[in-house]
Each structure stands twice: as C-alpha cells, then as structure tokens.
Amino acid sequence: MIIKWRNRAGVLVFKHDVVPEFFAGGKDGELIEAVNFYQKAVFDYPEIEPLLFHVVNEGRRTYQAGQLLKQSGMKKGVSDYILLKPSGKYSYACIEIKRADGGNGGDKEQKSFILDCEANGGFACIANGEECAMAALKEYLIN
C-alpha cells in the first residue's frame, strides 16, 4: 500500500508502507525507477506527454562543464520530473523520484526546491519508486 506523509522538513512524500521485496537498487536504481515512471505515465496519460519532462541535472562532468551548466541556469535540487499542465488548484507538478526503499530521502536542496514549488502554486513531492510516483501523478491529475 502507498501512503503519503510529510517528513520533518515538511516535504510531501509518497512511499510504500512496506518496501517492495524487489526494487531497483544500487547506483542506477533511481534512473531505472525514473525510466519506468515516465514510460507508464505517458502510456496511461498520453495527453501529458508534450508537457512532462525529465530535468537532467545529475551525473558526472568536468569542473569546467559543471561551471558552464551553472552559468546557463542549471540548479541543484530541481526535481526529476516537471509537468507543465495545470490541474485543480495547482499550476504545475514537480516529482522527485527516489529508489523504492527511499534512498537518501532527498538532499537539502531538493527539499528546499519542493517547498518553494508548493509555496508558488505547484504540487511537489518526493516519490519512493515508480509506483509511488504514479500515485502522486494520479493524485495531481484528479485533484
């Protein structure tokens, strides 16, 4: 069962009440969860495909490449997925995906970004795995 709650920082989190027995772990765990989420999301809700995108702000790069990306506007902590489709009382949605076991739970920049999004009319959360991300997306789209 998927539950939602607010962590100590006040961030909305969608998580499993019991961690699934099989989940994508290791270094690539979040990426696998993200790919699976995106594929399911655009299959179940094809109308969002043009407006749902992954923000690629992770990965290794040289110092010079990192500085150039920062100068061009790359920001630390931006959520993995942004949906630019208003729904109900929200203007947009931002979903940060973690491994199904919760991984590190999000760093301070990610939590700050999520709280800033909520303060500015957005639906924003951390989702532990693809199933929780789909539950968050569904909640966003039906509210």
Side-chain angles (χ1 to χ4, degrees), residues 28 42 58 63 66:
D28 296 325
V42 299
E58 65 271 320
Y63 175 80

Side-chain angles (χ1 to χ4, degrees), residues 51-53 79-87 90-96 113 117 121-125 136-137 140-141:
L51 300 171
L52 176 66
F53 59 92
S79 294
D80 291 321
Y81 284 93
I82 297 178
L83 175 58
L84 298 176
K85 176 180 175 28
S87 183
Y90 300 107
S91 302
Y92 57 93
C94 297
I95 300 174
E96 174 66 30
F113 180 81
C117 289
F123 173 91
C125 69
L137 178 63
Y140 172 72
L141 292 172

Side-chain angles (χ1 to χ4, degrees), residues 87-133:
S87 183
K89 66 181 181 178
Y90 300 107
S91 302
Y92 57 93
C94 297
I95 300 174
E96 174 66 30
I97 298 180
K98 297 296 176 194
R99 296 186 324 238
D101 69 348
N104 69 2
D107 60 32
K108 68 179 184 176
E109 290 88 354
Q110 291 169 331
K111 293 171 185 173
S112 178
F113 180 81
I114 288 169
L115 294 173
D116 286 345
C117 289
E118 286 186 320
N120 287 283
F123 173 91
C125 69
I126 291 174
N128 293 350
E130 65 184 84
E131 292 175 358
C132 293

